[in-house]
Amino acid sequence: MTTTTRKNLNELLEVLEEIRSKYYPDVPKELIEQIALTQYENQDDRNKARADTMHVIAKYVNKTE
């Protein structure tokens, strides 16, 4: 990952954290980060991104039940 790419990803995560903490404090920071990273890592394969994101969410939901 290039320095610029990492910087952009970190900026995105910072903005998402601002939104999460302000509007959705009950949603864990780690969940949002995992979803964002999954989407980022699979941006060239939307089907894989969707499947992996659903897996992250299902894992979280099953853990909280």
Side-chain angles (χ1 to χ4, degrees):
M1 183 178 309
T2 67
T3 303
T4 303
T5 302
R6 186 67 190 165
K7 182 180 177 205
N8 291 343
L9 181 56
N10 287 340
E11 288 174 357
L12 172 62
L13 291 173
E14 287 174 17
V15 169
L16 290 173
E17 175 52 19
E18 274 185 50
I19 294 167
R20 184 207 64 81
S21 64
K22 185 174 182 179
Y23 298 105
Y24 307 100
D26 294 339
V27 176
K29 176 181 179 180
E30 295 77 20
L31 177 61
I32 300 302
E33 287 177 349
Q34 286 179 335
I35 292 170
L37 291 172
T38 297
Q39 290 290 310
Y40 178 81
E41 291 168 355
N42 296 297
Q43 60 187 312
D44 293 333
D45 186 345
R46 301 314 306 154
N47 288 329
K48 182 163 177 28
R50 184 174 19 267
D52 288 357
T53 298
M54 293 303 293
H55 177 73
V56 167
I57 294 168
K59 189 174 166 183
Y60 169 74
V61 169
N62 289 333
K63 185 175 82 173
T64 60
E65 288 185 50

